[in-house]
Amino acid sequence: MSENEKTTIESKNFIEQIIDKDLAEGVYNTVHTRFPPEPNGYLHIGHAKSILLNYGLAKKYNGKFNMRFDDTNPTKERVEFVESIKSDIKWLGADWEDRLFFASDYFGQMYEAAVKLIKKGKAYVSDLSAEQIKEYRGSLTEPGREDPYSTRSVEENLQLFEEMKSGKYSDGEKVLRARIDMASPNINMRDPVIYRVAHMTHHNTKDEWCIYPMYDFAHPIEDAIEGITHSVCTLEFEDHRPLYDWVVRELEYPVPPRQIEFAKLYLTNVVTGKRYIKKLVEEGIVDGWDDPRLVSIAALRRRGFTPESIKLFVELCGVSKSNSSVDYAMLEYCIREDLKAKKPRMMAVLDPVKLIIDNYPEGQTESLEAPNNMENEELGSRQIPFGRELYIEREDFMEEPPKKYFRMFPGNEVRLMNAYLVTCTGCVKDEEGNVMEVHCTYDPATKGGNSADGRKVKGTIHWVSAKQAITAEVRLYENIIDEEKGVYNEDGSLNLNPNSLKILKKCYLEPEFAGAKAYDSFQFVRQGFFCVDAKDSKPEALVFNRIVSLKSSYVLPKA
Ligand code: ATP
Ligand code: MG
């Protein structure tokens, strides 16, 4: 190993450096992380980064990883999302063992924590409206003004808070505020609201509560209750860290958790925001949260991405403190890397035209052997039927070829992959000039695709025997966004690409594909990697999604 390689392997990201220091100084003697999604939508590739980062840290330091639903906002949350999130995380391979939690399970403890703050004189009930609170809060250049209710006594605050809980007040009539510093340069510290009245039914606690804690108050408590050491979140919470620290300090937790922020993962020209994905789903522009054009985890899975490819992608992206955007081509690189040696390479004709071998005996079929993957002998070989009538790709024949076209044209000899050399003799067209059949003759002495006299052919094309072919539907995808125009229009709407889905209804596959099941994936030679669609494919009518084509202009950046 060279010096250079050693340093890349040993170099640690900034979060690991913080953890190392904490362990060395005895701030913590273990590492305990968590992933805390809000169950208000499906997870996407950005969340995958957070999941694999948190789970990876726990694994690396022999610590623990918790799964926790941050369900403190009852309006947007749904049980459907809870289930999808759990299955996505399991699929990615992150294991929370027996530690699956709901923030709503701690509502009682959060209420007690608020009471503790009131007793310490660190929180008070305010009658200001949301509007007024905003007005009193000041701005980046102006300090805030004291809330006129901030002088209420501890006893009065305890009674009012109790009344808030018992349902005496309507939504917005009263709030509980932390007493911190109205003059703080950090607006988050200007007596933030920590509890609000909201008469709503919660998916877990039903109608037990009509007051709900605010995120900035609830999150540190959740972490502290679970014994989280390193609470990893994204950059937008950096300015909230002083409040996080204030909450865990004032509540006197023996081992206060530490919040660490990292940059969100963004993909260039790709819709990742939950809000936008939701809109596409609700407007019926896509076929649900798992539409293969999306980058939700469910969609990536349905498209044919693997957990390994997503892990590789996240590793290549690294962990950073500054926002940046990654090319979708990098994700494509990762799935090609993962599948290229693992999956069989078989023949499928997507845009078929018939090829007739005029000198091949009518009614005869034979069986030819083909390796499943030339890069991986372990995948073995298979038998492919061959006969007089085949299907080839329409674009593999041209009556009048341009220069450097080495495939079928009258007079040219090409190789039928794994089969014989054939010489094109012409074609049959319909009245409108469409090619209906291509004709050729074969050289029986070239079985396997090579001639005894060593003559060379430049083109090799794939084919499927017409008699035994399986008919399948194939779906080809492009970015749902029109990249030329950018993601958003001036009015904030998305710039959609009208060609993002192309459906090929009548493709022909070699019979070996029979029995392919949901999520099975293959390389279609010369065409790319394809995966059996989990929603629409049936044993008698297979449907495939193209995961990615074979060619790429993507060059992996040097580390
Ligand atoms: P979105 O903005 O897409 O709606 P969110 O941040 O509201 O996502 P949460 O359910 O609150 O979604 O997030 C759960 C965790 O995932 C949080 O710790 C959040 O910081 C992290 N996360 C969300 N988006 C990304 C991203 N693009 N890259 C990395 N981590 C992310
Ligand atoms: Mg959120």
Side-chain angles (χ1 to χ4, degrees), residues 35-38 44 46-47 50 234 262 264-265 273-274:
F35 177 67
E38 233 185 300
H44 55 62
H47 296 114
S50 178
T234 41
F262 72 101
K264 274 194 174 182
L265 169 66
K274 231 183 265 174

Side-chain angles (χ1 to χ4, degrees), residues 45-190:
I45 185 77
H47 296 114
K49 174 165 187 173
S50 178
I51 294 161
L52 294 171
L53 173 63
N54 280 294
Y55 178 64
L57 288 169
K59 285 284 275 191
K60 189 163 186 171
Y61 289 90
N62 243 326
K64 288 183 178 148
F65 166 78
N66 288 7
M67 171 66 210
R68 179 205 311 146
F69 284 101
D70 213 325
D71 58 349
T72 53
N73 182 1
T75 45
K76 295 182 284 175
E77 292 153 8
R78 296 227 308 263
V79 177
E80 176 200 352
F81 297 136
V82 170
E83 290 312 314
S84 79
I85 289 172
K86 284 201 288 195
S87 75
D88 288 346
I89 297 176
K90 279 197 183 137
W91 178 74
L92 278 174
D95 184 5
W96 60 79
E97 296 169 353
D98 57 352
R99 291 178 305 280
L100 169 65
F101 302 112
F102 287 83
S104 55
D105 289 338
Y106 310 138
F107 281 163
Q109 291 171 77
M110 290 173 188
Y111 179 80
E112 289 310 321
V115 168
K116 178 168 179 160
L117 290 184
I118 295 173
K119 286 183 178 161
K120 287 177 78 174
K122 298 285 182 178
Y124 58 90
V125 173
S126 171
D127 298 3
L128 292 185
S129 66
E131 268 302 288
Q132 288 169 316
I133 287 181
K134 213 171 151 197
E135 197 189 306
Y136 274 70
R137 195 163 48 202
S139 67
L140 286 174
T141 48
E142 272 174 86
R145 280 181 288 143
E146 288 301 325
D147 184 318
Y149 299 97
S150 68
T151 51
R152 279 175 167 156
S153 68
V154 168
E155 289 66 35
E156 190 183 1
N157 281 319
L158 284 174
Q159 190 192 336
L160 291 172
F161 189 51
E162 164 77 41
E163 287 171 359
M164 279 168 68
K165 175 179 169 246
S166 64
K168 189 165 175 191
Y169 305 112
S170 57
D171 292 6
E173 204 180 328
K174 284 191 168 40
V175 293
L176 184 70
R177 300 184 76 172
R179 189 196 312 280
I180 309 181
D181 179 7
M182 286 309 288
S184 171
N186 183 339
I187 292 184
N188 295 303
M189 300 297 273
R190 295 182 190 169

Side-chain angles (χ1 to χ4, degrees), residues 253-421:
Y253 289 108
V255 186
R258 179 197 297 288
Q259 175 179 306
I260 304 172
E261 312 85 19
F262 72 101
K264 274 194 174 182
L265 169 66
Y266 292 102
L267 285 171
T268 314
N269 288 330
V270 172
V271 186
T272 46
K274 231 183 265 174
R275 200 155 56 93
Y276 287 98
I277 295 184
K278 200 172 200 158
K279 215 167 153 238
L280 290 171
V281 173
E282 279 166 5
E283 288 176 7
I285 294 164
V286 295
D287 166 32
W289 285 88
D290 59 355
D291 185 292
R293 289 167 290 181
L294 300 175
V295 290
S296 59
I297 295 177
L300 290 167
R301 180 178 181 208
R302 183 172 166 203
R303 175 94 171 242
F305 282 84
T306 57
E308 292 77 15
S309 64
I310 293 173
K311 271 178 214 154
L312 176 62
F313 176 69
V314 165
E315 274 166 31
L316 289 175
C317 289
V319 186
S320 139
K321 263 279 194 211
S322 53
N323 280 319
S324 64
S325 170
V326 180
D327 219 331
Y328 185 81
M330 189 157 118
L331 194 53
E332 295 188 319
Y333 164 86
C334 294
I335 187 66
R336 280 192 203 99
E337 279 301 298
D338 185 41
L339 297 184
K340 69 182 183 194
K342 272 192 202 165
K343 298 295 172 181
R345 300 175 180 184
M346 310 214 290
M347 297 196 284
V349 175
L350 304 191
D351 181 18
V353 65
K354 226 175 210 173
L355 174 72
I356 298 172
I357 307 171
D358 292 310
N359 63 339
Y360 194 89
E362 253 177 270
Q364 179 177 312
T365 51
E366 62 184 303
S367 187
L368 301 170
E369 185 167 2
N372 284 330
N373 188 325
M374 309 255 263
E375 285 179 40
N376 180 3
E377 276 181 20
E378 279 175 23
L379 292 185
S381 62
R382 68 187 185 285
Q383 296 293 321
I384 321 171
F386 184 83
R388 187 169 193 267
E389 296 196 3
L390 312 175
Y391 288 109
I392 60 168
E393 297 289 348
R394 194 163 276 282
E395 61 166 33
D396 283 343
F397 169 78
M398 284 187 104
E399 205 176 8
E400 289 166 34
K403 266 192 187 148
K404 297 205 173 160
Y405 184 87
F406 301 120
R407 292 171 264 169
M408 284 226 157
F409 56 88
N412 191 40
E413 186 171 50
V414 300
R415 176 181 297 105
L416 293 178
M417 193 175 284
N418 303 310
Y420 293 97
L421 298 185

Side-chain angles (χ1 to χ4, degrees), residues 416-518:
L416 293 178
M417 193 175 284
N418 303 310
Y420 293 97
L421 298 185
V422 295
T423 302
C424 182
T425 52
C427 66
V428 175
K429 290 193 272 192
D430 67 6
E431 283 163 11
E432 282 144 32
N434 300 310
V435 175
M436 303 303 287
E437 289 173 357
V438 179
H439 284 258
C440 68
T441 56
Y442 86 120
D443 177 353
T446 57
K447 189 166 175 170
N450 292 305
S451 68
D453 59 14
R455 70 181 188 272
K456 297 250 184 313
V457 296
K458 280 197 167 146
T460 299
I461 65 174
H462 63 277
W463 51 274
V464 169
S465 174
K467 204 166 137 197
Q468 296 85 0
I470 295 176
T471 311
E473 176 178 318
V474 171
R475 299 173 181 174
L476 305 180
Y477 300 101
E478 284 179 16
N479 191 349
I480 195 156
I481 294 301
D482 185 342
E483 296 179 20
E484 306 265 296
K485 295 189 193 148
V487 180
Y488 307 105
N489 289 308
E490 269 178 17
D491 63 359
S493 62
L494 293 166
N495 252 320
L496 297 174
N497 169 8
N499 304 316
S500 60
L501 168 63
K502 188 171 165 192
I503 300 179
L504 308 174
K505 286 276 183 199
K506 227 178 167 173
C507 303
Y508 291 111
L509 276 51
E510 51 172 285
E512 187 77 13
F513 280 101
K517 296 181 301 297

